[in-house]
Structure formats: structure tokens, C-alpha cells
Amino acid sequence: MDRPPFRFGVQATNAASGREWRDTVRRVEGLGYTTLFLADHYLGPGPAQRAARTPRQDLAPIAAMATAAAHSATLRIGCRVFCIDYHVPAVLAKEAATLDLLSDGRLEMGIGAGWSDVEYAAMGLEFDRPGRRIAKLAEVVSLIKAHWQGEELDCSGEFVRVHGYAGRPTPVRTPQRPRPPIMIGGGGRRVLSLAAREADIVSMSTVPFVARDADGLDPQAVAKRRLGFVRAAAGERFARLDVESSPYFTEITDDPEAALARLAKSTGIPADLLRDHPNVLIGAPESVADSLRSQREAFGVNYVTVQQSQLESFAPVVAALHGS
């Protein structure tokens, strides 16, 4: 399969102090990762956070991204991914352009339609049905692209109505990259097709941890079907698209069977299902590197994001595969 070279990101969301966050930024950059992502979640400890099952997140994304850009030289910055309903679209477009300008062109703009009904409710927001959220996402992406062109805006959609001014600042531009790359995340046909048509990076959400889904597909078949949605909608663009995903469970270890057994016991997910799941990477660095090569061929994923807790242990895999 004709796919771009591997690159790697870290999704880091926690720090107890400014110094700790700056140290994390420098470690991510020093270990050879391409990108530092934040996440767009807001629930602190409490019943809503437990019900939403979102991980601990100390940091709001925009300020943390700005700090990361200021304390690194080459690290790309992003959010995996901004939720359209958590931000005023016109304001988010300007904030993003400002981040790109002040980072000298290192922004990756991740955006999605939202998924956590519990978080929406806790924050006092209406959680609309999927079709309307995806339709709004399409309008917001169009607004962001228009804002970044620097011309006078005239967007009159069902969800986005912005007009009468030109977008400023204009992001950093080069002949190869006239605007910051856009990442759109999701798992269904409609949102992945939108991503394939409009984004530069397609972020695949985690495949369910079930032996067979409602359509009778195992996890590998689900991942392949998602890739099929992207290829069909992207057409000739597909070869240029980054396909990004994140392992839900990651452990670098010389005893993968013991690690799988522990994980199976703690989660209730059978070890055999975990062993071959597209979002599980457990093993020695060379074994994990081989798995990623196989997954790039099978599922198209060339851009891999690991969580903050794994940034040190996963670094040998990054060193082995980055750019290859």
C-alpha cells in the first residue's frame, strides 16, 4: 500500500506545574516525536468524570499548546481533537491561526464532531444527533479554511453564520503548505468520508473491543472497513493523506504474554482479542515496530500517537521507524 512514512505523536494532558509541563514538552521533542497533542476534555474528578470515563486531564488545550510551542523549536502542536460544540467556531479559527503564526507554522488543527454525551451534559451543552453534529463539523471546517485565506468572510450555513470581516492573522504559508494541516477524527462512514475529502490527516477512533460487532465484523475487519471508507472518498488524495491512530493499550515489555494476561484480568477482555487488536501494542520494541509495519499495510496507519505515560518507553520504537 502506498502510504507516507511513519511519524509519531504524544498526547499529553497532565502537569502539576508550569515547570513540569515545560519539562514534558522538552522530553517529547528530545525523544524524536513529531507532534505534541493535547485533548479537548474538561471534566475534573467527580461523578460526571467517572461516568464519562475520560482520562485525567489537568490542562486546557489552547494555553498548553501555546506554551509547548514557546518551549520547543521543532515540535508540532495540536489538539486531538477540538470539539466543535465546545468553542465558538469563529473564535476557534482565529485562535488556531494565532497559534500557527506564533509557533512559526507548527500547528496541526485537529477537529471533530464530539462524542461524550456525559461531558456535554455536565457542561450544560446540548448533545445533538450524529447527523447534525457531522453537518456542523463540515460547516466549521469550511469556516476555518475560509478564515485562514485572509479574505472577507461570508459563511451562511445552518450552524455557522459569519460575515463582514477578513480572517486575521493569516497562518504561516509556504509553497508546500498553504495552510496548517487539518485533522478530522471519527469512526463512522460519514465522518471518515468528510475527513478523506477535506482533511490532511484522518484520525481513526479506537475500534470496539468485541469479538464481533453488530455487523459480524471482528476488530481487524472493522479497521479495514474504515480504511475503505477513507480510500473511497479520498480518491487520488489518499496517497497524500496521513492516517493517524492511537493504541488504546500500550506496553513495551519483553514478556508480552504476561502483560496480556494482566490486562485481560483487569479489563475482562480476552487475551486473544487483545493480542491481535488494531489498537493494542504490547511487546518488545522490535516486535511492536514489526506490528506497526504490518498495520500500516493492512489498515493504512502511518501516524501513531501514544499517551503521555508511554512517551519514554515507546521512544525506541520511534527511533526505529520514524521517517521510514
Side-chain angles (χ1 to χ4, degrees), residues 1-269:
M1 189 183 300
D2 186 12
R3 303 299 302 123
F6 279 111
R7 60 189 181 116
F8 296 89
V10 172
Q11 190 163 35
T13 60
N14 299 317
S17 66
R19 174 177 291 181
E20 183 178 320
W21 180 240
R22 294 190 294 272
D23 288 345
T24 297
V25 170
R26 295 184 185 110
R27 289 209 319 277
V28 171
E29 183 175 41
L31 289 169
Y33 292 92
T34 301
T35 311
L36 176 61
F37 290 113
L38 275 291
D40 204 24
H41 293 296
Y42 297 90
L43 303 185
Q49 190 265 340
R50 291 192 293 274
R53 296 184 179 180
T54 52
R56 172 188 158 207
Q57 177 162 325
D58 296 336
L59 306 176
I62 292 175
M65 289 164 63
T67 300
H71 290 88
S72 62
T74 61
L75 199 60
R76 304 190 65 76
I77 56 167
C79 181
R80 189 180 178 271
V81 293
F82 284 115
C83 173
I84 51 168
D85 290 321
Y86 294 174
H87 306 270
V88 176
V91 176
L92 182 60
K94 190 177 187 75
E95 293 277 10
T98 302
L99 284 168
D100 191 66
L101 180 75
L102 298 183
S103 67
D104 298 317
R106 288 184 279 142
L107 174 69
E108 290 186 359
M109 181 60 184
I111 191 161
W115 61 271
S116 177
D117 56 339
V118 175
E119 186 169 45
Y120 271 67
M123 294 168 63
L125 300 173
E126 179 183 354
F127 188 66
D128 215 336
R129 64 182 187 270
R132 287 181 59 80
R133 284 185 283 115
I134 295 169
K136 181 177 179 180
L137 173 61
E139 290 189 15
V140 173
V141 170
S142 294
L143 168 65
I144 288 170
K145 289 182 175 181
H147 182 112
W148 292 351
Q149 289 175 358
E151 305 297 331
E152 185 173 317
L153 295 166
D154 186 10
C155 301
S156 300
E158 181 180 1
F159 305 96
V160 174
R161 291 176 291 277
V162 177
H163 57 86
Y165 66 95
R168 292 293 186 277
T170 54
V172 175
R173 298 182 179 182
T174 70
Q176 294 78 29
R177 192 173 70 87
R179 57 164 174 75
I182 292 174
M183 169 194 282
I184 296 177
R189 180 195 294 269
R190 186 171 177 183
V191 70
L192 290 175
S193 297
L194 173 67
R197 293 190 303 268
E198 299 293 338
D200 309 283
I201 306 163
V202 178
S203 180
M204 300 280 198
S205 58
T206 299
V207 172
F209 284 90
V210 294
R212 299 281 173 179
D213 70 1
D215 295 323
L217 300 178
D218 64 24
Q220 294 79 19
V222 172
K224 289 180 180 179
R225 181 174 63 174
R226 291 180 179 181
L227 178 63
F229 297 154
V230 174
R231 294 190 73 159
E236 64 179 16
R237 297 184 73 240
F238 179 73
R240 303 191 300 276
L241 289 178
D242 281 316
V243 176
E244 188 269 353
S245 188
S246 178
Y248 195 83
F249 297 114
T250 309
E251 185 171 341
I252 302 302
T253 175
D254 291 328
D255 192 350
E257 291 305 315
L260 284 166
R262 288 195 304 272
L263 185 58
K265 183 176 181 180
S266 66
T267 64
I269 303 170

